[in-house]
Amino acid sequence: MTSALDLLKRRIAASGPVTVAEFMRIALAEQGTGYYATRDPLGGAGDFITAPEISQMFGELLGLWCVDSWERAGAPDPFLLVELGPGRGTLMADALRAAKVRRPFLSAMRLHLVEISRPLRALQEQRLGAFHPLWHDDLTTLPDGPALIVGNEFLDALPIHQFQMTERGWRERGVDLVNDTLAWTLLPPGPQLALLQAAHKRAKPDEIAEVCPAALSIASTVGARMAEEGIAALFIDYGPADSAVGESLQAVKAHRFCDPLAEIGAADLTGHVDFAAVANAAREAGARTHGALAQATFLETLGIRTRAALLSAKASEADRSAIAQAMTRLIDPRQMGSLFKALAISHPDLQELAGFP
Ligand code: SAH
């Protein structure tokens, strides 16, 4: 069977070095061989763990955020409830359980899941089959209509282009094959340099800037959709609040960082999300944006402390300490509290949304 590494090597041998973005796409998303396409990467026994896998409180609070946003938008019936990159379906299962507080929300919602991974689609079917979800490879096949869209650790998996400053200006970084081994290279200057935004123009030699056209295009699609048909989208991911020069591409396998060129198709690859650029793309498409703000602020404003206290009141002592630990992990600034950000994109008339003080 062809592996992602074979595929990448053949591509480079046939047509020369590839961009970092194409390298990421082949390593992660290529059907049949890519990292996401072939496995369930999540959880303690997997490669990395995400907020909904840490605690049910995360999905529950997001579910209540969805119900609240839907009501602020006049409770449209029907509406689309969309999750981008739902992983094991844990977030949505917790969200829909919490949403039982408003039965009309559940009867009005039509569940749509955007997911490239066949193994993860199978897990999502197990968790969410009772809600009759429809799956999509990307956002282009979603039906029209008002929508609530959520994506946790989705944007960070999208391919990034990297540019490196040299004595003669910016050059795009790529991956080449040297003596049958993968190696970083600089690609010849070309029109792709236009991807770099003005904000990135000043840098010192060797500094690296990143651009994620896939994330910007999704932000623009979601922004236009919100402006025309309404309700709101929520993206939670990690990255700085302001666009910054710097390299963020990282590979993670079995909860440890590894060399991005060493485990092609067998390690997760991510980049930091440029929230300022994502928000800007959504506003340019006509939507209103809220945040990005620290995950800790978002979850605390939504009442994670109250939720933890309620769960603890009914729990055993061991469970109480697990609940406290999980909450700390989600909101402590040294853990996920401050590097992770929440950004909402809404119809321009929705001036306030829960969680965004
Ligand atoms: N949201 C989940 C999973 C995060 S991992 C959680 O928080 O636990 C990233 C998810 O996005 C996986 O489900 C992965 O298969 C999916 N994914 C990655 N790239 C994608 C793409 N280009 N299109 C659609 N889904 C993608």
Side-chain angles (χ1 to χ4, degrees):
M1 206 190 95
T2 314
S3 68
L5 178 61
D6 296 336
L7 199 73
L8 182 61
K9 283 183 167 179
R10 280 217 303 265
R11 234 329 267 289
I12 298 173
S15 45
V18 295
T19 62
V20 171
E22 181 62 0
F23 152 72
M24 268 183 95
R25 194 195 62 74
I26 292 175
L28 292 181
E30 184 83 20
Q31 267 326 318
T33 55
Y35 175 74
Y36 283 115
T38 52
R39 77 198 68 218
D40 167 16
L42 289 151
D47 292 316
F48 60 95
I49 190 153
T50 55
E53 303 295 333
I54 290 171
S55 168
Q56 68 183 76
M57 295 186 286
F58 187 81
E60 289 169 349
L61 291 172
L62 263 58
L64 297 178
W65 182 88
C66 285
V67 171
D68 181 80
S69 303
W70 175 72
E71 289 184 335
R72 285 174 198 255
D77 180 2
F79 73 96
L80 282 70
L81 181 58
V82 183
E83 185 171 1
L84 309 177
R88 291 178 166 174
T90 309
L91 188 164
M92 190 51 78
D94 292 336
L96 291 171
R97 190 179 58 252
K100 281 187 188 153
V101 295
R102 288 288 185 281
R103 292 279 168 186
F105 174 93
L106 290 176
S107 55
M109 75 95 184
R110 307 287 179 269
L111 186 58
H112 293 266
L113 306 174
V114 176
E115 175 60 71
I116 47 165
S117 165
R118 305 294 139 164
L120 289 176
R121 279 189 186 194
L123 288 176
Q124 292 156 18
E125 165 81 56
Q126 278 173 24
R127 299 294 294 277
L128 302 166
F131 298 98
H132 309 295
L134 293 175
W135 279 270
H136 304 263
D137 290 325
D138 55 50
L139 284 79
T140 58
T141 52
L142 290 171
D144 291 340
L148 269 165
I149 302 177
V150 296
N152 185 61
E153 292 212 38
F154 169 72
L155 296 175
D156 67 3
L158 301 175
I160 54 174
H161 290 261
Q162 286 192 325
F163 298 87
Q164 187 172 328
M165 187 52 125
T166 70
E167 300 295 347
R168 292 206 245 145
W170 287 107
R171 295 273 299 275
E172 180 156 17
R173 234 178 152 212
V175 177
D176 201 358
L177 206 49
V178 179
N179 300 327
D180 204 40
T181 305
L182 295 176
W184 300 112
T185 186
L186 291 179
L187 304 172
Q192 82 281 8
L193 288 176
L195 281 174
L196 262 189
Q197 286 156 344
H200 283 144
K201 288 242 170 73
R202 265 193 309 273
K204 297 187 208 70
D206 294 336
E207 277 186 330
I208 285 180
E210 297 173 338
V211 182
C212 184
L216 300 181
S217 138
I218 287 173
S220 168
T221 303
V222 168
R225 189 173 181 125
M226 290 305 142
E228 278 159 32
E229 312 198 70
I231 353 185
L234 178 65
F235 289 101
I236 300 185
D237 227 305
Y238 52 116
D242 297 316
S243 303
V245 169
E247 158 155 47
S248 75
L249 179 71
Q250 65 184 37
V252 167
K253 192 182 177 195
H255 303 270
R256 283 168 202 269
F257 292 114
C258 62
D259 174 358
L261 297 184
E263 300 274 1
I264 311 300
D268 187 32
L269 292 171
T270 60
H272 281 182
V273 173
D274 182 346
F275 279 100
V278 168
N280 203 33
R283 283 194 301 268
E284 276 176 5
R288 181 186 292 271
T289 60
H290 312 253
L293 49 75
Q295 171 166 299
T297 312
F298 180 66
L299 294 179
E300 292 196 75
T301 311
L302 290 181
I304 193 169
R305 287 180 190 279
T306 312
R307 183 71 192 123
L310 262 170
L311 285 175
S312 294
K314 290 181 263 170
S316 67
E317 194 157 325
D319 287 348
R320 270 206 295 282
S321 101
I323 293 165
Q325 267 176 24
M327 185 177 78
T328 303
R329 204 154 163 197
L330 294 177
I331 64 176
D332 187 308
R334 286 158 303 181
Q335 301 194 50
M336 295 171 79
S338 86
L339 179 58
F340 279 75
K341 308 282 183 317
L343 170 74
I345 300 171
S346 74
H347 188 276
D349 290 349
L350 273 187
Q351 296 185 12
E352 288 181 2
L353 287 174
F356 294 90

